[in-house]
Amino acid sequence: MDQSLANGVRRASIERNTTETRIRVAVNLDGTGVYDVKTGVGFLDHMLEQLSRHSLMDLTVAAEGDLHIDAHHTTEDSGIAIGQAVAKALGDRKGIQRYGHAYIPMDETLTRVALDFSNRPYLIWKVSFSRDKIGDMDTELFREWFQAFAMAAGVTLHVECLYGENNHHIVESCYKALARALRAGIEIDPRKRDAVPSTKGTLGGSL
């Protein structure tokens, strides 16, 4: 879980093993959107690939979970592990822009994500689906992933699908909007490179 800031590149890796899942994650926040994702859940892989490509965060995920039961544990625990890796790579969050937001259209769908790398995790989720599954994945699991990511990454995260009909478009726009907002929030501010973006001098705790 050691953070690497060699050559100014923010990297971290996480290995998370439980009786339900075994997950290895590596991130490079200053990458180019290169990914290698294998969770055993095809649609989740597709979404995590979108997260990497559109945030420009290099992402490696290797997960083995109890898929003979369902995809719940693999989905939630991958969100935890990716969030932990992002938090570790950010370190004390010095120099980051901190806030990010994005509107992502996908055909008939429009989704908005706003976030704050405040180290005060919270999730607002205003997304609904008209189907129980997309492929083999339960649509109720997407909230579980975003909740797990927000808590582990230490991010205040608001996700709203403003309108949409196609369930695939709805969830994919959520991940793409998260990616673009994440990219903005973790970007280094050249005018405040050595300062934590808070009047308290630290991120976390009370407002």
Side-chain angles (χ1 to χ4, degrees), residues 17-150:
N17 296 314
T18 72
T19 58
E20 298 167 340
T21 60
R22 294 175 299 281
I23 300 178
R24 297 188 308 277
V25 168
V27 301
N28 174 1
L29 302 185
D30 301 297
T32 58
V34 175
Y35 53 80
D36 182 8
V37 177
K38 296 180 178 66
T39 67
V41 183
F43 196 83
L44 180 60
D45 287 356
H46 181 44
M47 293 302 100
L48 298 182
E49 290 165 0
Q50 300 299 328
L51 177 65
S52 172
R53 177 57 57 85
H54 294 283
S55 67
L56 298 184
M57 173 180 70
D58 294 346
L59 176 65
T60 300
V61 181
E64 298 177 14
D66 52 3
L67 297 180
H68 62 287
I69 298 174
D70 65 12
H72 186 110
H73 298 139
T74 298
T75 300
E76 182 176 34
D77 290 1
S78 69
I80 293 171
I82 294 169
Q84 288 175 335
V86 168
K88 189 67 178 179
L90 285 172
D92 62 6
R93 310 189 181 207
K94 185 179 294 183
I96 65 171
Q97 296 279 5
R98 176 175 168 177
Y99 299 99
H101 69 275
Y103 284 82
I104 293 294
M106 284 195 70
D107 295 351
E108 85 299 340
T109 297
L110 181 65
T111 293
R112 173 175 60 202
V113 166
L115 58 76
D116 174 10
F117 276 98
S118 60
N119 230 349
R120 295 188 304 275
Y122 202 91
L123 175 68
I124 296 293
W125 177 258
K126 295 185 178 181
V127 182
S128 59
F129 301 100
S130 61
R131 290 166 50 191
D132 293 333
K133 285 183 177 291
I134 302 176
D136 293 328
M137 189 166 179
D138 295 332
T139 50
E140 68 179 8
L141 294 181
F142 296 115
R143 186 188 189 283
E144 299 302 320
W145 188 92
F146 278 82
Q147 174 79 10
F149 174 81

